[in-house]
Amino acid sequence: MTPTTVSMPARPFRTTALIFRSALLAGGASALINMSMYGLFQETFSTLLVGQPGQEALFWPGAIVLFSLVGALGGGLVFAVMRRFLRRSERAFGWVAGLVLLASLAMLLGVRNGSWDVVLLLALMHVVVCLWVLRLVPGREEQHHRD
């Protein structure tokens, strides 16, 4: 008797390099949007530019770009690890990203010496990074076309 092998359906393979390129793209896109929101808020609310008396300015453009990129690359790292060890990594990653976003938003409630506009801008920036990471990092399965 010859042994019979059963082959599993091929799962689309995303290399770690592709995951990190996608994360870098997500970070760049979110940094551009976050900088635009910062500019809009800066023009609308003076506390973002000046800060409280005796304090440094609360935001600066380099920090916005840096933290957008770091957040997206962190998401890419988490997805790369999940992709390696979990069967349904895309679904699990969506849940993990949502939980991390909720935790980061809850943490913003504890921001001291920040006005409501600062907290709102930070919350929006977190949401932007999360959405771009969820959109770009896991990639999309190829659509099967009906004949």
Side-chain angles (χ1 to χ4, degrees):
M1 256 192 196
T2 59
T4 307
T5 58
V6 177
S7 63
M8 299 295 288
R11 180 174 169 191
F13 181 71
R14 287 187 58 111
T15 64
T16 303
L18 184 56
I19 290 170
F20 282 106
R21 271 187 250 134
S22 298
L24 192 58
L25 182 61
S30 60
L32 287 173
I33 293 171
N34 287 342
M35 285 299 299
S36 298
M37 284 193 308
Y38 169 73
L40 178 67
F41 271 65
Q42 190 176 18
E43 290 295 320
T44 308
F45 306 106
S46 62
T47 56
L48 289 177
L49 179 60
V50 178
Q52 303 298 325
Q55 293 179 339
E56 295 180 22
L58 298 172
F59 289 92
W60 56 280
I64 294 169
V65 172
L66 175 69
F67 288 118
S68 296
L69 289 171
V70 167
L73 288 171
L77 176 64
V78 169
F79 180 71
V81 170
M82 292 177 78
R83 182 81 172 163
R84 171 116 169 108
F85 294 108
L86 297 177
R87 187 166 215 219
R88 293 184 169 196
S89 56
E90 293 85 1
R91 180 177 289 193
F93 181 67
W95 282 100
V96 169
L99 291 173
V100 169
L101 177 61
L102 287 176
S104 72
L105 294 177
M107 186 178 63
L108 290 177
L109 296 176
V111 170
R112 295 189 180 171
N113 299 329
S115 58
W116 66 270
D117 53 339
V118 171
V119 174
L120 177 63
L121 178 59
L122 284 170
L124 289 172
M125 287 179 173
H126 285 175
V127 170
V128 165
V129 173
C130 183
L131 290 176
W132 276 104
V133 166
L134 283 173
R135 175 68 180 113
L136 295 179
V137 170
R140 298 289 170 228
E141 304 292 334
E142 290 186 17
Q143 299 286 330
H144 296 288
H145 300 287
R146 290 185 179 173
D147 291 338

